[in-house]
Amino acid sequence: MRAMVLDAPGRPLRAADLATPRPGPGQVLLRVAACGVCRTDLHVADGDLLDPALPLVLGHEIVARVEERGEGAERFEIGDRVGVPWLGWTCGVCAYCRSGRENLCDRARFTGYQIDGGYAEQTVADERFCFPLPDAYADVEAAPLLCAGLIGYRALVAAGDAERLGIYGFGAAAHIVAQVARHQGRRLYAFTRRGDDAAQQFARQLGAVWAGVSGDAPPERLDAAILFAPAGELVPAALKQVVKGGVVVCAGIYMSAIPSFSYDLLWGERVVRSVANLTRKDGEEFLALAPRVPVLTSVQPFPLDRANEALDSLRSGRLRGAAVLEVGGRATLR
Ligand SMILES: [Zn+2]
Ligand SMILES: [Zn+2]
């Protein structure tokens, strides 16, 4: 099978011909149709996240069809379409797993990080961690739901019932969360890098009542803010804009150092928290909700062998919406 392989952080992915992986007990062999390109892939490729299982196939927003079932795997039929997310395996017995917080499992293994992912024609996955996908979405359209959508949804839930919601960084996750937030009747304020007029315009199209630059004050104070941009200086910047009791949710897996700030920014029961990974329950809830909103994903497709180009365009901030690898080159857009 063709695959794009990370040999070492800081190096471009290498086009390779690999042996088809074999599904172990409880696993399914999948024929990949599409795989989203997530900012986490950049953090792995660039070496911000330590100890990837090298050589590694990146990719954890996988839309695929079941091709073969390993021993005891009976959840899906051959040909079923499934989604494979970042959470690839949990132990099921640690204190986190036993208390509904498998996203924090001490021994969790992640797709496209410790487990080979979807930048390939085929992959294997533990069937318990795959999701059935709503029929309303074509393959490339469904891919961004699997991380940008799921993690964005978890961050939105962490923001509580905030009516005035700030979103810092308007990429793949934000463009999905914006639609859910509007559906829930929230007022949305979008913050982007200085000069990124296109992202601000995109945010307004998706219903933001205000869009501006990260350091700026919106016309009203915020009840909560979600940070998708991996820039630590946004934490005090967002705290400055939230009201007493407000929450600042850091939604990325990696963030540059947070500068020190005066305690009065936190005072008044303001909360800074992170969101880590996902639970299967998040996935089930979000994938049931998405077609009801309905969330429409804006995707920029790339063929598999141009994965490096897709990563570069994400790194540079040139993308509108989500980059998705279209594997096998078939036209899967409706
Ligand atoms: Zn566990
Ligand atoms: Zn991701």
Side-chain angles (χ1 to χ4, degrees), residues 84-283:
V84 184
W86 170 245
L87 187 73
W89 185 86
T90 55
C91 77
V93 296
C94 75
Y96 296 112
C97 282
R98 284 185 284 112
S99 57
R101 295 178 293 166
E102 64 180 356
N103 59 308
L104 303 177
C105 173
D106 285 328
R107 295 165 60 205
R109 300 179 71 221
F110 300 104
T111 312
Y113 188 32
Q114 286 104 10
I115 303 169
D116 277 341
Y119 288 20
E121 290 177 313
Q122 289 164 298
T123 191
V124 293
D126 184 321
E127 66 169 4
R128 298 170 301 167
F129 292 85
C130 298
F131 297 113
L133 293 172
D135 291 334
Y137 296 90
D139 294 339
V140 291
E141 295 168 339
L145 301 176
L146 287 159
C147 186
L150 290 188
I151 303 281
Y153 174 73
R154 188 173 175 85
L156 186 61
V157 171
D161 57 6
E163 191 194 332
R164 295 162 302 177
L165 178 70
I167 296 187
Y168 287 74
F170 213 85
H175 100 283
I176 293 175
V177 167
Q179 297 173 59
V180 179
R182 288 274 298 134
H183 174 74
Q184 295 172 333
R186 304 178 196 245
R187 290 164 60 77
L188 203 68
Y189 301 78
F191 300 77
T192 74
R193 295 189 240 204
R194 185 167 299 283
D196 197 349
D197 299 338
Q200 291 171 17
Q201 176 65 25
F202 187 46
R204 284 189 208 97
Q205 276 168 18
L206 289 171
V209 294
W210 177 90
V213 175
S214 290
D216 288 357
E220 304 169 85
R221 304 292 296 283
L222 306 171
D223 298 307
I226 301 175
L227 312 190
F228 290 115
E233 65 269 22
L234 294 177
V235 172
L239 274 173
K240 252 177 224 166
Q241 304 307 333
V242 301
V243 296
K244 285 182 283 189
V247 187
V248 173
V249 181
C250 304
I253 193 169
Y254 172 85
M255 186 176 257
S256 58
I258 300 170
S260 69
F261 54 85
S262 155
Y263 179 57
D264 61 348
L265 291 184
L266 190 60
W267 173 250
E269 301 196 344
R270 292 176 180 86
V271 174
V272 177
R273 64 162 291 175
S274 63
V275 153
N277 313 316
L278 67 135
T279 64
R280 283 172 280 182
K281 185 166 166 283
D282 295 329

Side-chain angles (χ1 to χ4, degrees), residues 30-34 62-66 79-84 123 133:
L30 300 171
R31 171 68 56 174
V32 179
I62 306 171
V63 177
R65 286 178 181 74
V66 176
D80 280 0
R81 185 170 79 151
V82 298
V84 184
T123 191
L133 293 172

